[in-house]
Amino acid sequence: MTERVFNFSPGPATLPLPVLQEVQQNLLALPGVGASILEISHRSKTFEQIIAQAEENIRRLLNLPEEYHVLFLQGGASLQFSQVPMSFLRGSGRSADYIVTGSWAKRALAEAQREGDVRVVWDGKGDNYSRVPQPGEVQIDPRAVYVHFTSNETIQGIQFATGPETGDVPLVCDASSDFLSRPIDVKRYGLIYAGAQKNVGPAGVTIVIIRQDLLEQVPDNLPTMLNYRVHAEHRSLYNTPPVFAVYIVMLVTRWLLENIGGLEQMHAINRQKAQMLYDAIDRSEGFYRGHAQADSRSLMNVTWRLPSEELEAEFVKQAKEAGLHELKGHRSVGGIRASIYNAMPIEGVRTLVEFMEHFRQKHA
Amino acid sequence: MTERVFNFSPGPATLPLPVLQEVQQNLLALPGVGASILEISHRSKTFEQIIAQAEENIRRLLNLPEEYHVLFLQGGASLQFSQVPMSFLRGSGRSADYIVTGSWAKRALAEAQREGDVRVVWDGKGDNYSRVPQPGEVQIDPRAVYVHFTSNETIQGIQFATGPETGDVPLVCDASSDFLSRPIDVKRYGLIYAGAQKNVGPAGVTIVIIRQDLLEQVPDNLPTMLNYRVHAEHRSLYNTPPVFAVYIVMLVTRWLLENIGGLEQMHAINRQKAQMLYDAIDRSEGFYRGHAQADSRSLMNVTWRLPSEELEAEFVKQAKEAGLHELKGHRSVGGIRASIYNAMPIEGVRTLVEFMEHFRQKHA
């Protein structure tokens, strides 16, 4: 019997146990195939069914209209930071609007600035990136080629309730850390990209959802591997895709559909888990101090400080001894961060809340 | 007990059974970690040791001098087709020399032509891509920014015995399908790239070996994710790498060192396997006709035709029934292709040779 801890890593992150068990069971040979998922051709019928099923699961979970394509790419969100402006901004003679809410939005901005003119239409620096803009607070340029935002900032632990209103300007979203964690109104988006390693799979595959009209704008002169249209035309099989990572995405999205029941149910569970932690912070009489402002609290990454850095180090150390791993906050924010993506069970959060109460009683 | 077939897929391809067994055993939780390799942070000590070990294994296998960097990237060889000319050709005011030996060299050439001036210094089209150039046959431009060649063409089944002589001009090699299959004189190369999914791992990680002087030439204005220098400075941890694929590369290279004994031994085994198949072709009295000319025969992909397409289809069908899978040749060459990378056991080749003899006796 292998002992598993509660893993609060911000990503790569914990995966659903039934998924891991199925992967393990079939690791030497897929049933009826005689070879491991790690060994089969991406041109085989077996894999064509797997990637088609992964796409179909995502379509069902998001109620995706026909005019949206689902791509399975490589390079992480970090490559998308460049691929988006290379596709739509470079050479357009116009500018793109960026909403800067934290560490990841800043990285996206920096890559866009290499490719063309960019306007920062909101920056949370004055509030130490503790909140997202509220509706009406952001003035979009109606001539912008697109508006880019980061739906959840993993490092700061802040999250948009819904994305900004952009009218006819295409909305582009880095959804790496809250993709498929709740329903979204897809029709408001032109392009959504997400590294899989938080909510939907292991590191190594990036999911891009792109609307047909944007696909048609992609210039022909890009490197072939950076051309969304090529990947759409080849259904992500222009070259060898990350077969194993796509397989896990298929299993995780199936788990979302069959074990959880869809994104409404997943959202309810995620709200419940986050509420348990924010309640523990709020009733701690100032011992735990959340980083995020109340209206911007993330359901995925809960960040908080303790009265001293010594106590924070002690908290992380004792938590680990109690089987609660990877709770150290990012160095740029400090303190504690509990990442509670889809696959973190309620039991893990309950155990953490109990640990928080005990720790506070001992050290307050 | 899971039944495994002999899998002659050209890639993704068969992996060493002891590697798969270790992956399976630890799939739910790495010993002493309490989480799966699919779930651990790329910033964790555990993964830092894994990626450092993968690099160290490759350094030992290739006797890599200090001035070479080992990078673990994403996007496959197909992205390298662009990243190489973006890094060294674009804006150089000079041209690059390309040796065109088959399907993959043509793909590399097409991407380079998007980035700058390219000279095709040899093209095997006249011989239907059945051979590689012999020593002295290629005239390199001494002012070329680099010379690019494909050490093994998986589709045609032809392979360089050693790379072309290029003097002081940096030699760039797409070694995707024979990387770590035999010793090479690394000091002759400026840059080697290889998708892992033939000899060293699953799809999803690309290994790049780059010499320090070339690294220093990379311009600053590239997208960060396409900048070799950034990846070298961050030891492939600038962003989240494909953790699981790197883990498998570490296990496969350890298997090469410990179970096989290094690249000399691997080469001897690969020669033996290929010889068994080429002998079966040569003694078939013209029933099996090899595609590759004798001096260019690949040790990795053995390609041959039968007297008719009907017999070829029957061969593939009956072979599959005998547990010999994925033998259909690529549509552009036709016939049969047996891919016999490092992890294909001699027993698999022996079984195939016996099948070939029986099939010939029945149908000749």
Side-chain angles (χ1 to χ4, degrees):
Chain A
M1 180 72 191
T2 317
E3 190 162 353
R4 283 172 56 82
V5 301
F6 290 118
N7 171 20
F8 293 91
S9 168
T14 197
L15 287 166
L17 187 57
V19 166
L20 292 176
Q21 286 166 332
E22 180 164 344
V23 174
Q24 183 177 46
Q25 188 182 334
N26 297 333
L27 205 277
L28 296 192
L30 288 167
V33 175
S36 171
I37 181 67
L38 296 168
E39 304 172 304
I40 62 169
S41 169
H42 56 297
R43 309 276 177 212
S44 63
K45 281 212 175 61
T46 303
F47 185 66
E48 279 182 6
Q49 286 167 359
I50 286 170
I51 196 167
Q53 189 63 58
E55 175 179 339
E56 176 59 24
N57 291 350
I58 291 170
R59 288 191 169 279
R60 278 180 62 196
L61 285 163
L62 289 173
N63 283 318
L64 214 55
E66 269 299 311
E67 70 261 32
Y68 287 84
H69 302 260
V70 179
L71 311 179
F72 299 95
L73 306 182
Q74 293 185 63
S78 295
L79 187 54
Q80 293 305 306
F81 295 162
S82 295
Q83 195 168 347
V84 165
M86 287 168 84
S87 302
F88 309 113
L89 176 58
R90 189 198 276 183
S92 68
R94 290 152 65 197
S95 62
D97 283 358
Y98 274 70
I99 297 170
V100 179
T101 44
S103 306
W104 290 107
K106 280 193 267 188
R107 282 225 194 174
L109 172 70
E111 294 301 323
Q113 285 168 332
R114 294 172 174 274
E115 304 297 336
D117 285 338
V118 178
R119 238 169 47 105
V120 173
V121 290
W122 193 87
D123 192 317
K125 190 174 183 180
D127 292 310
N128 195 23
Y129 299 111
S130 62
R131 69 179 187 94
V132 300
Q134 294 310 302
E137 204 179 335
V138 178
Q139 295 304 316
I140 301 300
D141 175 0
R143 289 197 68 249
V145 286
Y146 60 81
V147 177
H148 182 281
F149 81 111
T150 310
S151 51
N152 182 72
E153 290 280 2
T154 51
I155 289 177
Q156 283 75 22
I158 59 176
Q159 186 179 25
F160 281 83
T162 61
E165 289 291 343
T166 61
D168 290 336
V169 180
L171 183 59
V172 174
C173 177
D174 175 3
S176 292
S177 52
D178 63 3
F179 187 61
L180 300 187
S181 71
R182 60 182 179 186
I184 56 169
D185 182 6
V186 172
K187 290 190 292 297
R188 296 184 49 225
Y189 296 79
L191 190 153
I192 300 170
Y193 62 89
Q197 67 268 18
K198 319 286 189 182
N199 276 305
V200 286
V205 62
T206 312
I207 296 161
V208 173
I209 294 175
I210 180 170
R211 208 171 54 203
Q212 177 64 26
D213 61 310
L214 284 178
L215 202 65
E216 288 166 8
Q217 292 173 29
V218 174
D220 286 323
N221 63 355
L222 295 176
T224 304
M225 282 294 290
L226 299 180
N227 187 322
Y228 293 123
R229 202 164 49 242
V230 169
H231 291 293
E233 283 165 3
H234 290 82
R235 301 195 72 108
S236 307
L237 291 169
Y238 169 75
N239 75 328
T240 314
V243 170
F244 182 77
V246 172
Y247 167 67
I248 309 278
V249 170
M250 184 275 282
L251 295 176
V252 171
T253 49
R254 195 177 72 191
W255 170 83
L256 271 171
L257 283 164
E258 296 180 2
N259 297 46
I260 301 297
L263 296 191
E264 291 283 359
Q265 289 82 343
M266 192 72 254
H267 192 201
I269 294 168
N270 284 332
R271 271 196 309 252
Q272 184 188 350
K273 289 186 294 185
Q275 197 59 51
M276 288 162 69
L277 282 169
Y278 288 119
D279 283 350
I281 291 169
D282 290 343
R283 69 170 172 259
S284 74
E285 299 175 336
F287 184 76
Y288 300 121
R289 288 168 295 116
H291 175 79
Q293 296 187 27
D295 59 12
S296 301
R297 282 173 160 180
S298 169
L299 303 186
M300 301 282 100
N301 314 92
V302 180
T303 50
W304 70 91
R305 306 295 310 250
L306 270 69
S308 71
E309 289 187 8
E310 291 69 30
L311 274 175
E312 287 168 350
E314 190 62 25
F315 182 99
V316 170
K317 181 169 167 282
Q318 289 188 24
K320 186 165 184 186
E321 289 162 8
L324 303 160
H325 286 214
E326 301 284 344
L327 283 164
K328 189 165 188 286
H330 191 273
R331 61 186 179 283
S332 62
V333 171
I336 311 295
R337 168 171 54 172
S339 297
I340 51 171
Y341 302 117
N342 287 353
M344 170 57 66
I346 288 179
E347 184 58 25
V349 176
R350 188 175 295 125
T351 309
L352 173 56
V353 167
E354 286 165 11
F355 173 82
M356 287 169 74
E357 301 287 357
H358 277 109
F359 190 89
R360 176 165 69 96
Q361 282 161 23
K362 224 163 87 183
H363 295 95
Chain B
M1 179 71 191
T2 317
E3 191 162 352
R4 281 172 56 82
V5 300
F6 290 118
N7 171 21
F8 293 92
S9 168
T14 197
L15 288 167
L17 187 57
V19 166
L20 292 176
Q21 287 166 330
E22 179 163 346
V23 174
Q24 182 177 46
Q25 188 182 336
N26 297 332
L27 205 277
L28 296 191
L30 288 168
V33 175
S36 171
I37 180 68
L38 296 167
E39 304 173 303
I40 62 169
S41 170
H42 56 296
R43 308 275 176 215
S44 63
K45 280 210 177 62
T46 303
F47 184 67
E48 278 182 7
Q49 286 166 359
I50 287 170
I51 197 167
Q53 189 64 58
E55 176 179 339
E56 177 59 22
N57 292 351
I58 291 170
R59 288 192 170 279
R60 279 180 61 196
L61 285 163
L62 290 172
N63 282 317
L64 215 54
E66 269 298 313
E67 69 262 32
Y68 288 84
H69 301 260
V70 179
L71 311 179
F72 299 95
L73 307 182
Q74 293 185 65
S78 294
L79 187 54
Q80 292 305 306
F81 295 162
S82 295
Q83 194 168 346
V84 165
M86 287 168 83
S87 302
F88 309 112
L89 176 58
R90 189 197 275 183
S92 69
R94 290 152 66 195
S95 62
D97 282 359
Y98 274 68
I99 297 171
V100 179
T101 44
S103 307
W104 290 108
K106 280 193 267 189
R107 283 225 192 173
L109 173 69
E111 295 302 323
Q113 285 168 333
R114 294 172 174 275
E115 304 297 336
D117 285 337
V118 177
R119 238 170 47 107
V120 174
V121 289
W122 193 88
D123 192 317
K125 191 174 184 182
D127 292 312
N128 195 23
Y129 300 111
S130 62
R131 69 180 188 94
V132 299
Q134 294 309 302
E137 207 180 334
V138 178
Q139 295 303 318
I140 301 301
D141 175 0
R143 287 198 69 248
V145 286
Y146 60 81
V147 177
H148 182 281
F149 82 112
T150 311
S151 51
N152 181 73
E153 289 280 1
T154 52
I155 290 177
Q156 284 75 22
I158 59 175
Q159 186 178 25
F160 282 82
T162 60
E165 288 293 342
T166 62
D168 290 337
V169 180
L171 183 59
V172 174
C173 178
D174 174 3
S176 293
S177 52
D178 64 2
F179 187 61
L180 301 188
S181 72
R182 59 183 179 185
I184 56 169
D185 182 6
V186 172
K187 290 190 293 296
R188 296 184 48 224
Y189 296 78
L191 190 153
I192 300 169
Y193 62 89
Q197 67 267 18
K198 318 287 189 182
N199 277 305
V200 287
V205 64
T206 312
I207 295 161
V208 173
I209 294 176
I210 182 171
R211 208 171 54 203
Q212 176 65 24
D213 61 311
L214 284 177
L215 203 66
E216 288 166 8
Q217 292 174 30
V218 174
D220 286 324
N221 63 355
L222 294 177
T224 303
M225 282 294 289
L226 299 180
N227 187 323
Y228 292 122
R229 201 164 50 242
V230 169
H231 291 293
E233 283 164 3
H234 290 80
R235 302 194 72 107
S236 306
L237 292 168
Y238 169 73
N239 75 327
T240 314
V243 170
F244 182 76
V246 172
Y247 167 66
I248 308 279
V249 170
M250 185 276 283
L251 294 177
V252 171
T253 49
R254 195 178 71 190
W255 170 84
L256 271 171
L257 283 164
E258 295 180 3
N259 296 47
I260 302 296
L263 297 191
E264 291 283 358
Q265 288 83 343
M266 191 72 253
H267 192 203
I269 294 168
N270 285 332
R271 271 196 310 250
Q272 183 188 351
K273 289 186 294 184
Q275 197 59 53
M276 289 163 68
L277 282 169
Y278 288 119
D279 283 349
I281 290 170
D282 290 343
R283 67 169 173 260
S284 74
E285 298 175 339
F287 184 77
Y288 299 121
R289 287 169 295 117
H291 174 78
Q293 295 187 28
D295 59 9
S296 300
R297 283 174 159 179
S298 169
L299 303 185
M300 301 280 99
N301 313 92
V302 180
T303 52
W304 70 91
R305 305 297 308 251
L306 270 69
S308 72
E309 289 188 7
E310 291 68 32
L311 274 175
E312 288 168 350
E314 191 60 26
F315 182 98
V316 170
K317 181 170 166 283
Q318 289 188 24
K320 187 166 183 185
E321 288 162 9
L324 303 159
H325 285 214
E326 301 285 345
L327 282 164
K328 190 164 187 285
H330 191 271
R331 62 187 177 283
S332 61
V333 171
I336 311 294
R337 169 173 52 175
S339 297
I340 51 172
Y341 302 115
N342 287 354
M344 171 57 65
I346 287 179
E347 184 58 25
V349 176
R350 188 175 294 127
T351 309
L352 173 56
V353 167
E354 285 165 11
F355 173 82
M356 288 169 74
E357 301 287 356
H358 277 109
F359 189 89
R360 177 165 68 97
Q361 282 160 23
K362 223 163 88 182
H363 295 94

